[in-house]
């Protein structure tokens, strides 16, 4: 058997422990459960959190308002109470959080051109967590807008008979067009932005997890070999030391690739649960327009993104390899991750808040110098057809990887592997050699 | 030809001189013991002979091969067992021997032969098919010693081979070393156990603060210091 395969098989056996498999399975399960729970909780709370309506006007207008509001997805519960305090304290409404009072004389006020109002009351629970309050606010905004439109139609029918209220209300409606690389489609910008964001926040989170996990894995593997002195045995063998470096990196990359698949699966469940509850419908509605604008990822695009992620993982592995060699022992791995975590956090978080296309050269230089940034930006670049920047990113990452691997191989071939220690604050001091 | 020849060996870590000019040689087929208090440069010396560390000055030759200029060739004739070394805990004992045999010999049939020999030497029997993480310290050490000698190196370098072992395990390991030396294998051993040293070694090198203080047979050293106790020789030399 090829000696490289012998080394690789041993590395994989050492890395792929039952504990690791269990933690990955647990992580996928957690993502899945959160995603499903958020989705079902949101649907359940949407159904139960209806609006209690006290119609004190009982007019044609109030009937039309109720019909308009009920036409949405929010269930309305009529109540016989005549004052809000009694309704809110009534046991049958104790689980309700949203109340609407249609005041007596509303229709007459509208007909006579006198201002009136619809009163929405929300019971806010200080200790409540989750999305319940935000969803209630969104429900009231939607329902009040439907009611306002219907009240407006009612007033216009009486004051300007013969003209359709929709025309009078908005005689010159605004239509939004989005232009991408000369291609124009009628679609609201908010929908395009929503879709792009939903695509580009899911992906970096997964990559972030994979990079950290695989880096931690290889650092622990090297520090354990140093601590157990199995490394000293290997170093005294007639093996080419570069082969030791490459076999360790390859094993970690193979495991990381397997883990990426598992994470993506878990994250997909998680995100589909969240987006179904929040903005999935909006994004889906914009789908055909987005496809016409070229803002979708093709199979070749996915392959390019995959390649970018692969070299990103290889970069992090090679850097982690060097950090692992400099670690005093397995306990100091957490602290040794800091030099990797810092650029990783920067490259992950900054593009979320900063538009890199208009950012200053300092920020641009800093972020593009970090190899991980290119993988985080790859999906958006592929979606917008900026293939050149993805390819250059891959080339840059591959160059950084080559530099790190060369450095790792050099360190592996000299005394530094056993004598050099990088001491970060909080790490234990230990004699360099006996 | 000497199995090992060390001349003016120096190793510095920054300003600290771990080995400060060592000179000694080991004859082929001999068991040579390097003894000295903790932290006087024994392990550093063994690591330099094993080509893991490079000397700051001086030279080491193993069967005529320089450990710096011909490091790769040296690695083909030696086997090094570090002090308190561990093994890959997720492998079984047999998988560990298989792996190490391939790493050192690079030939499937020679490796299989070495593993069969090592399996017998380890005395672990059916436990060889259990994961190493289930082994006691004594079992693990016997496996590691089997690993170190199964490839039949010309020079076996053992750092504290019986450290922390009970009487039975220690005895078995010492017996194995003695038998192998009788078969022609050369051993360089570091140990704190003077009884073990006396039982095993043909000659002893006593070092302190990176320098060689004495080098002779146990009998000659005892006679030189007028005592029957090798430990007393050690104490008088190092204090």
């Amino acid at each position: 058997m090829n000696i490289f395969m012998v080394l690789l098989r041993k590395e994989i056996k050492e890395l792929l422990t039952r504990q690791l498999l269990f933690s990955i399975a647990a992580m996928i399960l957690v993502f899945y459960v959160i995603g499903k729970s958020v989705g079902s909780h949101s649907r359940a709370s949407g159904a139960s959190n209806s609006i209690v309506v006290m119609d004190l006007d009982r007019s044609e207008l109030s009937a039309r308002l109720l019909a308009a509001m009920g036409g949405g997805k929010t269930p309305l519960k009529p109540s016989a109470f005549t004052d809000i305090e009694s309704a809110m304290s009534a046991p049958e409404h104790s689980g309700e959080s949203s109340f609407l009072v249609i005041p007596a004389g509303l229709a007459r006020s509208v007909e006579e051109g006198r201002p009136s109002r619809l009163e929405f009351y929300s019971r806010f629970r200080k200790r409540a967590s989750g999305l319940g309050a935000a969803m209630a606010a969104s429900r009231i905004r939607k329902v009040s807008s439907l009611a306002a439109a219907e009240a407006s139609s009612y007033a216009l029918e009486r004051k300007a008979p013969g003209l359709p209220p929709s025309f009078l209300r908005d005689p010159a409606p605004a239509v939004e067009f989005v232009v991408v690389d000369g291609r124009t489609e009628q679609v609201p910008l908010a929908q395009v932005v929503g879709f792009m964001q939903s695509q580009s926040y899911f992906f970096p989170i997964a990559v972030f997890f994979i990079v950290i996990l695989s880096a931690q894995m290889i650092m622990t593997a090297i520090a354990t070999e140093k601590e157990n002195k199995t490394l000293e045995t290997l170093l005294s063998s007639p093996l080419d030391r570069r082969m030791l470096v490459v076999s360790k990196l390859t094993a970690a990359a193979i495991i990381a690739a397997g883990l990426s698949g598992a994470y993506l699966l878990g994250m997909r469940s998680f995100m589909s649960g969240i987006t179904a509850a929040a903005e999935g419908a909006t994004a889906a509605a914009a789908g055909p327009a987005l496809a016409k604008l070229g803002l979708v990822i093709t199979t070749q695009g996915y392959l390019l993104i995959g390649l970018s992620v692969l070299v990103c993982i290889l970069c992090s592995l090679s850097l982690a390899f060097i950090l692992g060699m400099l670690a005093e022992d397995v306990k100091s791995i957490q602290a040794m991750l800091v030099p990797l975590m810092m650029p990783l956090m920067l490259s992950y978080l900054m593009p979320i808040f900063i538009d890199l296309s208009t950012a200053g050269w300092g920020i641009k230089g800093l972020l593009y110098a970090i190899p991980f940034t290119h993988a985080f930006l790859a999906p958006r670049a592929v979606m917008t057809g900026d293939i050149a920047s993805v390819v250059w990113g891959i080339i840059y990452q591959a160059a950084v990887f080559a530099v790190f691997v060369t450095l790792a191989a050099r360190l592996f071939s000299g005394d530094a592997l056993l004598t050099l220690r990088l001491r970060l604050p909080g790490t234990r001091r230990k004699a360099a050699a006996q | 030809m000497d199995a090992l020849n060390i001349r003016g060996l120096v190793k510095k870590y920054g300003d600290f001189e771990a080995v400060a000019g060592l000179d000694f040689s080991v004859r082929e087929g001999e068991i040579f013991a390097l003894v000295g208090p903790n932290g006087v440069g024994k392990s550093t010396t063994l690591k330099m002979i094993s080509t893991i560390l490079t000397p700051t000055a001086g030279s080491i030759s193993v069967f005529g091969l320089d450990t710096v200029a011909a490091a790769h060739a040296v690695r083909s004739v030696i086997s090094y067992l570090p002090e308190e070394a561990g093994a890959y805990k997720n492998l079984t004992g047999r998988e560990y021997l298989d792996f190490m045999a391939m790493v050192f010999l690079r030939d499937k049939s020679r490796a299989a032969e070495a593993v069969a020999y090592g399996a017998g030497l380890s005395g672990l029997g059916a436990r060889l098919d259990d994961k190493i993480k289930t082994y006691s310290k004594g079992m693990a050490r016997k496996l590691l010693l089997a690993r170190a000698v199964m490839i039949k190196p010309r020079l076996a370098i053992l750092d504290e081979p019986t450290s922390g072992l009970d009487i039975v395990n220690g005895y078995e390991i010492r017996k194995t070393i003695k038998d192998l030396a009788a078969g022609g294998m050369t051993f360089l051993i570091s140990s704190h156990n003077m009884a073990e040293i006396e039982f095993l070694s043909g000659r002893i090198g006593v070092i302190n603060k990176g320098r060689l203080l004495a080098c002779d047979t146990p009998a000659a050293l005892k006679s030189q210091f007028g005592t029957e106790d090798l430990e007393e020789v050690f104490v008088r030399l190092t204090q």
Side-chain angles (χ1 to χ4, degrees):
Chain A
M1 193 187 295
N2 182 306
I3 189 66
F4 177 74
M5 292 310 291
V6 171
L7 288 168
L8 188 63
R9 208 171 63 170
K10 169 253 166 186
E11 295 298 343
I12 289 177
K13 274 202 162 191
E14 277 294 297
L15 290 175
L16 209 58
T17 59
R18 270 187 213 162
Q19 291 91 325
L20 179 72
L21 290 174
F22 176 76
S23 66
I24 299 305
M27 192 64 81
I28 294 172
L29 188 68
V30 166
F31 278 135
Y32 180 80
V33 168
I34 293 174
K36 287 286 169 197
S37 313
V38 169
S40 60
H41 174 74
S42 305
R43 282 189 293 276
S45 57
S48 66
N49 286 345
S50 45
I51 298 180
V52 176
V53 180
M54 294 155 60
D55 183 3
L56 308 182
D57 195 39
R58 297 195 179 280
S59 60
E60 182 200 339
L61 173 59
S62 68
R64 280 178 62 173
L65 291 179
L66 292 176
M69 290 187 285
K73 286 177 183 171
T74 308
L76 303 175
K77 284 187 181 170
S79 172
F81 287 98
T82 54
D83 66 291
I84 185 67
E85 287 80 11
S86 309
M88 288 184 96
S89 56
E92 63 262 41
H93 297 322
S94 62
E96 302 293 344
S97 61
S98 305
F99 295 79
L100 165 63
V101 178
I102 301 175
L106 174 74
R108 220 167 76 201
S109 298
V110 172
E111 283 163 18
E112 290 171 0
R114 282 186 289 112
S116 186
R117 63 185 188 181
L118 295 176
E119 295 169 0
F120 285 94
Y121 293 84
S122 297
R123 191 180 347 239
F124 188 77
R125 293 179 176 87
K126 280 193 286 187
R127 287 184 189 171
S129 64
L131 294 171
M135 291 184 81
S138 155
R139 214 167 27 243
I140 288 173
R141 200 167 52 242
K142 202 188 300 175
V143 165
S144 66
S145 143
L146 288 169
E150 194 58 33
S152 165
S153 298
Y154 183 82
L156 290 168
E157 280 165 19
R158 272 148 188 77
K159 295 294 177 191
L163 279 173
S166 57
F167 169 75
L168 287 169
R169 207 167 33 245
D170 194 1
V175 180
E176 280 190 67
F177 292 89
V178 172
V179 183
V180 177
D181 293 336
R183 279 177 284 189
T184 307
E185 272 303 312
Q186 186 184 329
V187 60
L189 176 63
Q191 283 188 11
V192 175
V193 172
F195 177 74
M196 296 279 283
Q197 281 179 343
S198 72
Q199 293 294 307
S200 51
Y201 61 48
F202 156 64
F203 181 78
I205 291 173
V207 174
F208 188 85
F209 270 117
I210 297 160
V211 166
I212 289 295
L213 197 78
S214 47
Q216 216 164 10
M217 207 158 55
I218 198 154
M219 283 172 82
T220 309
I222 294 167
T224 307
E225 285 235 32
K226 276 177 82 174
E227 204 168 273
N228 284 345
K229 300 191 178 177
T230 46
L231 192 57
E232 291 183 20
T233 306
L234 287 181
L235 293 176
S236 67
S237 76
L239 272 180
D240 184 340
R241 294 184 179 185
R242 283 170 301 186
M243 197 178 275
L244 289 174
V245 176
V246 174
S247 66
K248 274 192 186 300
L249 286 175
T250 311
I254 288 171
I255 304 259
L259 296 181
S260 11
Y263 265 111
L264 283 167
L265 212 69
M267 287 292 290
R268 185 175 281 277
S269 304
F270 171 69
M271 294 308 292
S272 64
I274 301 281
T275 49
E279 54 194 77
T282 314
L290 290 165
K292 284 182 188 165
L293 288 171
L295 296 177
V296 286
I297 302 175
T298 60
T299 309
Q300 290 90 332
Y302 275 115
L303 287 175
L304 211 54
I305 293 168
L307 191 59
S308 181
V309 171
L310 180 69
V311 280
C312 170
I313 291 171
L314 289 174
C315 276
S316 74
L317 283 176
S318 50
L319 177 59
F321 194 94
I322 294 168
L323 293 171
M325 280 196 279
L326 301 178
E328 291 218 51
D329 48 32
V330 177
K331 283 179 194 165
S332 59
I333 290 297
Q334 211 58 38
M336 293 301 292
L337 262 177
V338 172
L340 180 73
M341 280 290 277
M342 282 169 65
L344 194 62
M345 292 289 279
L346 277 175
S347 60
Y348 167 50
L349 290 173
M350 282 184 76
I352 294 175
F353 302 109
I354 293 169
D355 178 5
L356 276 180
S357 61
T358 56
W361 283 107
I363 292 177
K364 262 188 193 173
L366 171 72
L367 286 179
Y368 283 125
I370 302 171
F372 316 124
T373 310
H374 301 276
F376 289 143
L377 296 178
R380 181 174 281 260
V382 166
M383 237 188 292
T384 53
D386 189 6
I387 303 299
S389 76
V390 183
V391 172
W392 278 115
I394 291 170
I395 293 169
Y396 174 69
Q397 289 183 101
V400 172
F401 169 63
V403 170
F404 282 157
V405 166
T406 308
L407 188 60
R410 282 195 174 202
L411 281 172
F412 221 79
S413 303
D415 285 9
L417 181 58
L418 298 183
T419 57
L420 204 65
R421 301 281 186 276
L422 184 63
R423 292 194 176 92
L424 295 168
T427 53
R428 192 155 56 90
R429 293 185 79 82
K430 197 177 176 181
Q434 290 169 21
Chain B
M1 183 195 288
D2 283 338
L4 176 67
N5 202 314
I6 292 179
R7 289 288 164 260
L9 186 65
V10 175
K11 180 66 185 176
K12 287 183 180 177
Y13 298 112
D15 294 334
F16 174 67
E17 202 169 40
V19 177
L22 269 186
D23 291 276
F24 68 90
S25 56
V26 178
R27 292 187 287 271
E28 192 165 2
E30 185 181 18
I31 300 178
F32 186 94
L34 205 55
V35 298
N38 289 325
V40 296
K42 297 191 300 292
S43 293
T44 300
T45 303
L46 297 191
K47 282 175 190 167
M48 284 190 282
I49 298 166
S50 308
T51 74
I52 298 172
L53 292 177
T54 45
T56 308
S59 69
I60 305 169
S61 80
V62 178
F63 292 103
L65 300 163
D66 187 84
T67 54
V68 177
H72 195 76
V74 169
R75 289 174 197 143
S76 301
V77 296
I78 63 162
S79 182
Y80 170 54
L81 177 63
E83 183 188 1
E84 290 178 1
Y88 303 108
K89 292 177 180 168
N90 290 314
L91 301 185
T92 64
R94 195 176 300 282
E95 283 172 337
Y96 175 71
L97 293 181
D98 280 338
F99 169 68
M100 282 300 180
M102 276 302 286
V103 161
F104 278 87
L105 301 172
R106 312 282 289 272
D107 177 88
K108 215 169 175 180
S109 63
R110 282 179 66 206
E113 202 178 299
V115 170
Y117 178 55
L121 276 181
S122 73
L124 292 173
R127 290 300 308 272
L128 266 180
D129 295 313
D130 292 336
K131 288 209 169 178
I132 294 171
K133 62 183 167 192
T134 65
Y135 288 7
S136 68
K137 193 173 177 179
M139 289 166 73
R141 200 65 184 164
K142 281 198 272 190
L143 179 74
L144 289 169
L145 181 71
R147 187 282 298 163
V149 296
M150 71 179 178
I151 54 166
K152 297 183 180 158
R154 293 181 73 187
L155 172 64
I157 303 157
L158 312 179
D159 197 352
E160 303 281 355
T162 60
S163 162
L165 295 186
D166 60 34
I167 294 167
V168 174
N169 281 313
Y171 171 77
E172 285 176 353
I173 284 181
R174 278 190 288 274
K175 196 171 169 301
T176 305
I177 293 170
K178 197 111 182 167
D179 291 347
L180 289 167
M185 197 180 286
T186 310
F187 283 89
L188 174 61
I189 293 169
S190 152
S191 177
H192 288 294
N193 184 339
M194 298 312 279
E196 172 176 289
I197 295 294
E198 196 162 3
F199 171 75
L200 278 177
S201 51
R203 284 191 305 143
I204 303 169
V206 183
I207 67 168
N208 197 14
K209 294 177 183 166
R211 292 178 191 282
L212 190 71
L213 303 179
C215 182
D216 217 325
T217 62
L221 284 173
K222 284 192 286 189
S223 155
Q224 190 185 332
F225 284 84
T227 174
E228 281 304 303
D229 186 355
L230 198 57
E231 277 184 347
E232 195 184 327
V233 174
F234 177 80
V235 170
R236 283 167 62 183
L237 270 170
T238 55
Q239 281 188 340

